[in-house]
Amino acid sequence: MTSDDKDSPGVSPSLDDDLFRQLIDSAPDAMVIVGENGLIRLVNIRAEQTFGYSRQELVGQSVELLIPERLRGGHEAHRAAFFSAPKSRAMGTGLELFGRRKDGSEFPVEISLSPLKTPAGTLVSSAIRDVTVRKAAEQRFRALLESAPDAMVILERDGRIILVNAQTERLFGYPRNELLGELVEKLVPKRFRGAHVLHRQGYSREPKVRTMGSGLELYGVRKDDSEFPVEISLSPLEGEDGGLISASVRDISDRKHAEATARLASERLLSAIESIQDGLALYDADDRLVLCNSTCRELFATALRGPIVGRSHAEIVEAALAGALFELGDEPPAAFRTRLSEYHKNPIGVLDVKTQGGHTLRMTDRRTLEGGTVSTLWDVTDDVALVAERKLAQELAEAANAAKTEFLASMSHEIRTPLNSILGFAQLLQMDKKAPLNERQKDKLNHVLSGGEHLLRLIDDILDLSHVEAGRVMVSAEPVNVAEVLDEVKAALDPMAARASIELTITDPVDRTRQVVADRTRFAQILINFGSNAIKYGKVGGKVTLGVSLQTPGMLRVSVEDDGIGIPVDQQDRIFQPFHRAGQETGPIQGTGIGLAITKRLSELMGGAVGFQSVPGSGSQFWVSLPEHDVKEAPKEVGTAARIAGSTLRGEDGPLHTIVYVEDNPSNIAFMQELIAELGRVNLVTAPTAEVGIEIVRARQPAVVIMDINLPGMSGYDAARKLREWPETKNIPVIALTAAAMVGDRKRAADVGFHKYLTKPVRVAELLGVIEEVLSPDRG
Ligand code: ADP
């Protein structure tokens, strides 16, 4: 080929020109000059170093020698194409080019080609640069890009994307090749694109590291057109052809969602707090107000200028004091301040404060988990007024009650005295032998007598009821044997039943061990009331039955059943109201209508209840239910036997002492008798009432008196007081032994002068201890 001939080595004098050689040897890149036939015509020193061949080894060889074998075929074709339209350009734009050294190793290169017109024809000069180091750096940069958590987009200054990482593909839904070379606005929602271009251009002029659009909501758009909120930071990158821009894009959907949820929650909380009518304030751990509702804000509005949130509790109190928000009364401001801050520091219970407006606010402070405080303030003005009103009403009612009782007591006394003479003289008239009355007179006198008696009963009943209602009646709850009480009640009612030709029985079998917790006297009173009604409202020749049943666990029910006239249905619901006689007001049977009211009050005082069933014309059943005393569970003291055995009062030697025990309950008497029987040197005398008891004490001068408090008739208190009054009994120690029914009893007992006050159930060791102490010889 002609060109081959023209390009043959040595033919071109200019290539051999020394100046030209020196010129290309000074080039920083490897220079290889090739003829149209592909043979190397000239190389520089750098080319020798780069490829590991000497100049002699290269000149005249095909240029493909410097190319890896696998790429040689393609290269020949490209070479031919270049010579057909030679112009300066980079070789294989967008392709990875490689060189091959003499030892066969490959390395990445970048080649720029330029035609060289010589007299010997067109040559091509190729400048070859070993880009191993740069490629490695690029590789590292890519790896860095890929490892970034965010989508990284690298742009040219004109906005074209030149690099993206895998996160970008994932986030925006585009494969890499659909992004490279595109304008970055492809990733921006359409409505923002115009503005984005302007911003981008602005940034290109003055690039620096910063976040994009601070304070703005930024959005990205995916290939599928869906949008998502993003956060973008920009930084300039130095590229080869001027500055590049790197944008890292983070999807903040989750964060936005979490923020929205948190905002919603806090908005809900705020509106809930606002809707509370009470004032509410929240202080943080440093005791600064972080939150408060409008009620609270309004309260402090007059005293505080500027926002209340952020102020400390102390500041707020100070401002409230300065603004005279609270009505301090006689309290000095310093004391008020201390009281408020002490409560705030250690909030126990509540704190009431008064405002100048006449309102009472109740403050409740509670600690929060973070060590702050929630303080609520609610207006209790009405409640306070109500409490005061109720208290006043109660005091008035109590005073009225006391006055009523007082009135009834004196009235009963006033009526009783003349009534006694009426009844007394009427009886004298009835019995007068000297001037006997005729039948008509006797008949009339009988009316006087029965009227008088009725009046007397009425007075007694009214007095009794008013005592119960005024809380003057004490009940001492103690174990009471039910069968014994039933026997007593039957004995008391038998004469009345006989007069009315009614058969009174106790249903068999009554378990004789059964006990209730009750006041024995009052329990019997209730049953006698039921029983006398059953007889009064019974039928001649009828039956009245006393019985015991266990209706609910723990409660024993004692009933009185008759086959009498029954109670009209329309009267039944008011039967326990005082003075209500259920249609008997005009009937022949005498009564006051008070008895059942008293039974109801008494049963309630003892923790029980009363009730009835009645069928008009066939009879009624009235019952009282009381807590059962579990005999098996009665407190058994450990070591009681040993305590008794070791008592100083057991031996036969020494003086004999007498103890008087005033007690109405037979079980208690039996217990005391058993206990004292163990003590050889003590002699026990018992009295069933206080009246009998004090007479025995005066007569026998015992060493000790043991006194029950709640006795039929005179109470233990009155008896003890009486004994204190008489010189012959005033030094005898009296021990109270009682089922304390009311608060303040112990104090009252001390005032009366009891030596000791013991409560039932009796603790043997304690009782013995007291008796021994009193009876010990070294006692004055
Ligand atoms: P009174 O003194 O009138 O008997 P109570 O309070 O004991 O007063 O009883 C109130 C009323 O209940 C009696 O007037 C009577 O009408 C009615 N009542 C009470 N017990 C019986 C009963 N066993 N049978 C019929 N009626 C009764």
Side-chain angles (χ1 to χ4, degrees), residues 461 529-530 533-534 536-537 562 565-567 575 577 580-584 590-597 614 620 622:
D461 281 358
N529 204 305
F530 288 163
N533 278 349
K536 269 193 329 195
Y537 305 107
D562 63 62
I565 60 175
I567 300 165
I575 203 80
Q577 288 173 9
H580 190 76
R581 294 206 62 216
Q584 293 297 330
Q590 280 198 355
T592 59
I594 296 176
L596 286 183
S614 183
S620 317
F622 279 80

Side-chain angles (χ1 to χ4, degrees), residues 404-445:
K404 188 180 91 184
T405 313
E406 203 53 46
F407 165 73
L408 286 170
S410 60
M411 180 203 75
S412 96
H413 181 75
E414 297 301 322
I415 295 177
R416 210 184 281 261
T417 319
L419 198 57
N420 268 335
S421 38
I422 293 173
L423 288 174
F425 282 107
Q427 284 171 58
L428 286 179
L429 276 179
Q430 205 179 27
M431 295 182 300
D432 198 340
K433 295 266 168 39
K434 286 186 197 144
L437 300 176
N438 63 32
E439 282 312 306
R440 280 190 62 200
Q441 287 169 323
K442 270 189 191 162
D443 195 35
K444 285 172 185 153
L445 193 63

Side-chain angles (χ1 to χ4, degrees), residues 83 105 120 575 667:
F83 276 103
S105 60
I575 203 80
S667 329

Side-chain angles (χ1 to χ4, degrees), residues 147-221:
S147 69
D150 298 329
M152 301 289 294
V153 182
I154 312 285
L155 319 174
E156 306 248 30
R157 287 211 170 184
D158 64 358
R160 301 221 167 261
I161 299 171
I162 56 163
L163 209 61
V164 296
N165 63 358
Q167 277 81 305
T168 309
E169 296 178 282
R170 266 201 298 279
L171 187 57
F172 287 91
Y174 288 104
R176 202 171 291 234
N177 59 3
E178 288 181 28
L179 290 175
L180 295 182
E182 297 286 329
L183 280 177
V184 71
E185 277 74 32
K186 189 171 185 169
L187 304 178
V188 177
K190 280 201 184 74
R191 61 184 186 287
F192 300 128
R193 280 181 194 165
H196 189 266
V197 171
L198 296 178
H199 284 304
R200 168 162 60 71
Q201 287 164 351
Y203 184 81
S204 298
R205 280 194 293 277
E206 223 181 309
K208 59 176 196 275
V209 178
R210 66 167 171 86
T211 53
M212 186 193 276
S214 58
L216 293 180
E217 304 256 307
L218 303 179
Y219 292 90
V221 63

